[in-house]
Amino acid sequence: MTYDEIRKVFLDFFESKGHKIVPSASLIPNDPTLLFTVAGMVPWKGILQGTEPAFAPRVADVQKCIRAGGKHNDLDEVGFDGRHHTFFEMLGNWSFGDYFKDGAIEMSWELLTQVLKLDPARMRVTTHISDEESTEIWRRVAGKEAIRLGDKDNWWSAGDTGPCGPCTEIFYDFGAEFENEDDRWVEIWNDVFMQYDRDANGNLTPLPKQNVDTGAGLERWAALLQGKVDNYDTDLFVNLIHATEDIVGVKKTPENTPSFKVIADHLRAVGFAIADGVIPSNTDRGYVIRRILRRAMRHGQMLGHRGVLLSKLYPALVAEMGHAYPELGREEKRVVEIIQNEENAFADMLQNGIKLLDNEIPKIQNGILPGEIAFKLFDTYGFPLDLTQMILGEKNISVDVAGFERAMSEQKERSRANTKGTRTLWESQTEQPGTDDSSKYAPDNTMASRVLAILRNGEFVPSAASGDEVEVALDKTNFYGTQGGQVGDSGELVADNKTVMNVAEATRVDNIVIHKGVLAAELNVGDIVYTKINTATRQQTARAHTATHLLQAALRHVLNEDVEQRGSKVSPDAVRFDFSFGRAMTDAEKQATEDLINKWISENMPVSHEEMSLDAAKQRGAMALFGEKYGDVVKVITAGDISCELCGGTHVYNTGEILHAHINKEKSISSGVRRITMSVGTMAE
Ligand code: SER
């Protein structure tokens, strides 16, 4: 059976059992606790937890997954056996409060033995030590006595918190000729009974409904059904490996097989992730992808290859899997550009870093590379620790990991001390009731507030004098404290009709809004002052912020729908906007973007500011920043029918108020991320 046929047999079977068939969700989960979609259940977490309604009682799909970081991490296994992958496809069926243990086990067994005609004698099953019920069902359905195991083997969850429950796993016997148990017995299906929700303290609460989550690796099924013991020998991989042989000009041999496997696996992980919108970077999932890409390059080098590799191989991935995952082909140009930039940047670093290592190796005394050198390789040449370990491992040299970590934390400490300033001092105050800034959107221009704290010269003081440079916290304010990329308000604190303080900028540390500036009179903790924001500047900032939303909408029109915000800074009359895009914009594209924004400005479209539940906002299709945490009630800013975004910033009420927009510059800031600077309002005019 080809892998295409296996997917079809699986989905047809569950469709015939009343399941709704749905396409794979993105590899980027809508879930801040996970870096990637690690299992088929990830998109359904809300349904399992009962916070989202189920759209069908029974669902089945084939889900793209990556396990390369966090709780589920198979990265280190890849290449050294035939069964592990960072990217894989998970065949899965779900019951959302519909069938439970009986139904799940019966259907798994029927598909394996009746449809796929696998020999029942070659299968063994495990259940959780506490799960009498499943054990009994296995006796009845298959005449099998389950092996009972503990939490480590038979309790499943996607992350440290969230839905979880006992599971039953089915193993296939690849033959007595395999001496190693793990090679012989391969897990081919996992049926999880999602019954509990685990909170951050580890407490289990029963879920509102009893659910089923099953998962089976397509790659393992392909091996089993194609008579192979190694997943990398199946039709999912042979063409990718041949393409690699062609490009590196070396044939696969038993000695170099691990490198071919690593490259084929990493090509899939990097290609699929970038097609879904991940950009290689130094943080979070971007960093995982960067590391994977660099490991692949290193293996290319071990095969004697120089220069870019995965970007040359990507078309082979599109040819192999593009029919099942059209996003691969649709994104081809962008993905290849991003991989190429990343590979080119790393190629130089790799050469220089290896030169440094070659100099250091002769000095090594006890077979251990000092941690500072490993850190220098990381810091200066971008070598992840595991890459250094891998290169040295070939020479039986290890790395002083503790020393590496010490060097890393020392450097973090240094940069924290440089940039943090008074922030830590305020952080020590955040236990106190914070500032009520709910009036920051109110047109009301002044309000009476009490002084909670005054910080002067790095010390909290009860009182400060005229001329002192201070930071002041109030119990309530209508100043907007720097947040979400928008700079804070400026203005004054007033008492007895006289200015007490000129506020240059309001910032924010957690729940405290901090007014920074210079006192024009004595100020004491407990004093009542009136807050007065600079309305002209507020208006200029509001123009810039709404213009930022128009800019994003225009880029999506002119370039493509996948352009996404990566960062922004909104200042009075000026915008800096970072977004995902793989190449420089042409002059014509820049002009078209600017023209479109100015057309929308001239159309005087109303801009609505509404509060609603996060669910209502999602339903309306409001765009959100990935990775941002949102409360249950959110603000939605809608400009005519062209832009709708979740946003806590301040905005104009009509696009006409923006007056004019002018793009000043467009440039690259890192691979796959571009930056536009734009002026608006009178500045632009
Ligand atoms: N979530 C379970 C797993 O990943 C079953 O789908 O194994």
Side-chain angles (χ1 to χ4, degrees), residues 535-554:
T535 45
T537 316
R538 161 74 71 108
Q539 168 71 359
Q540 288 173 302
T541 310
R543 279 177 185 145
H545 206 152
T546 309
T548 309
H549 289 201
L550 298 186
L551 171 60
Q552 166 148 244

Side-chain angles (χ1 to χ4, degrees), residues 278-441:
V278 178
I279 308 275
S281 72
N282 275 334
T283 52
D284 299 332
R285 64 180 65 84
Y287 183 55
V288 175
I289 293 305
R290 173 168 283 173
R291 273 177 58 191
I292 295 180
L293 183 145
R294 290 178 174 186
R295 282 181 104 204
M297 273 190 90
R298 168 68 187 147
H299 278 276
Q301 219 186 31
M302 285 161 69
L303 294 172
H305 181 72
R306 295 287 173 270
V308 301
L309 175 61
L310 295 190
S311 49
K312 282 191 182 157
L313 278 170
Y314 186 79
L317 180 65
V318 179
E320 189 63 60
M321 303 190 78
H323 61 286
Y325 298 97
E327 64 273 24
L328 291 178
R330 208 167 48 228
E331 297 294 321
E332 179 157 359
K333 211 164 150 259
R334 184 179 66 84
V335 178
V336 169
E337 273 171 359
I338 291 175
I339 301 181
Q340 225 166 37
N341 286 341
E342 187 71 16
E343 290 188 314
N344 281 328
F346 188 56
D348 295 341
M349 288 198 290
L350 195 58
Q351 296 300 339
N352 293 333
I354 284 174
K355 236 184 258 160
L356 178 108
L357 256 184
D358 286 343
N359 278 335
E360 292 296 328
I361 287 172
K363 299 186 208 157
I364 290 173
Q365 304 282 345
N366 47 3
I368 304 176
L369 182 81
E372 308 87 76
I373 307 287
F375 180 70
K376 185 167 180 198
L377 281 165
F378 168 78
D379 200 34
T380 316
Y381 300 105
F383 278 38
L385 180 61
D386 61 350
L387 180 65
T388 306
Q389 285 170 320
M390 185 176 83
I391 298 170
L392 293 174
E394 295 153 17
K395 301 188 163 63
N396 283 324
I397 300 173
S398 63
V399 177
D400 171 13
V401 176
F404 173 84
E405 281 164 1
R406 216 171 318 118
M408 170 96 102
S409 65
E410 277 165 16
Q411 200 221 34
K412 275 202 184 128
E413 208 39 61
R414 276 195 301 278
S415 65
R416 196 175 301 137
N418 288 342
T419 57
K420 268 219 161 165
T422 58
R423 198 181 165 88
T424 28
L425 291 167
W426 283 110
E427 271 167 359
S428 66
Q429 301 289 306
T430 50
E431 299 294 304
Q432 315 298 327
T435 314
D436 171 3
D437 69 345
S438 51
S439 322
K440 61 182 181 286
Y441 306 116

